[in-house]
Amino acid sequence: MQRTLAIIKPDGVGRKLIGEVIKRLEANDMHIVAMKMLCMSKDQAREFYAVHRGKPFYEGLTEFISSGPIVAMVLEGENVIERYRALMGATDYRKAAEGTIRREFATDIQKNIVHGSDSPKSAAFEIGYFFNRFEFIN
Ligand code: IDP
Ligand code: MG
């Protein structure tokens, strides 16, 4: 069993896509074992996305992710890191496969509705960033 961090970004929350995203997780055997809605500060966003520091999109990305409420979730399932990445689709929605969340709902390479950890190492860091051990249902 594997865990990953999923986020519905401010564009997804603002466009009332929380239910749409969660429906797809539940339909694909990804179990929500922790969940919260919150707003990130700019400093928290900078720390969360530290891996992208120095890239041209870093400033815009941290500004965007701290611009409104997000929903953070921990998903559990077999091979869930890779399976959830596949459900999201490519970072650039124009290159994302048909039927993926980003292909259907993203409007921009930055405003792409969802985030998902990309490896076991990043999942461990990202889950620990948002959740402590008392916040899981099991
Ligand atoms: P990922 O979310 O598919 O893992 P990353 O490369 O980790 O993609 O980038 C993190 C986030 O930064 C993306 O989801 C997107 O919101 C934003 N981003 C990535 N590349 C660009 C870009 O070229 N221009 C603007 N924003 C970008
Ligand atoms: Mg990434």
Side-chain angles (χ1 to χ4, degrees):
M1 235 11 129
Q2 196 175 57
R3 285 179 172 178
T4 193
L5 184 84
I7 296 176
I8 306 175
K9 296 182 179 182
D11 56 333
V13 174
R15 288 172 55 204
K16 306 206 180 298
L17 294 171
I18 297 174
E20 179 65 44
V21 171
I22 290 178
K23 181 181 81 179
R24 289 166 184 243
L25 304 177
E26 292 184 325
N28 285 278
D29 209 29
M30 298 173 190
H31 305 287
I32 302 168
V33 296
M35 174 159 70
K36 62 176 74 165
M37 181 150 74
L38 69 144
C39 293
M40 293 180 89
S41 69
K42 185 74 192 281
D43 282 346
Q44 287 169 333
R46 284 202 173 101
E47 197 179 353
F48 179 73
Y49 277 124
V51 64
H52 294 305
R53 193 170 283 149
K55 293 182 187 168
F57 59 83
Y58 180 66
E59 263 313 301
L61 172 62
T62 53
E63 197 64 50
F64 163 58
I65 206 75
S66 60
S67 68
I70 63 168
V71 175
M73 293 171 276
V74 178
L75 310 180
E76 188 174 83
E78 204 76 55
N79 196 25
V80 73
I81 295 175
E82 196 182 312
R83 288 197 302 118
Y84 175 59
R85 295 281 304 183
L87 199 69
M88 290 197 303
T91 310
D92 182 349
Y93 73 102
R94 292 165 299 189
K95 294 178 186 146
E98 211 63 62
T100 60
I101 294 169
R102 285 169 165 174
R103 178 60 176 261
E104 289 198 19
F105 300 107
T107 52
D108 186 302
I109 187 165
Q110 177 190 77
K111 294 182 177 61
N112 57 6
I113 311 291
V114 280
H115 166 87
S117 311
D118 65 3
S119 68
K121 191 169 167 246
S122 73
F125 166 75
E126 293 179 357
I127 290 169
Y129 195 83
F130 283 102
F131 296 94
N132 69 49
R133 65 200 167 92
F134 302 110
E135 297 176 300
F136 293 85
I137 58 158
N138 55 359

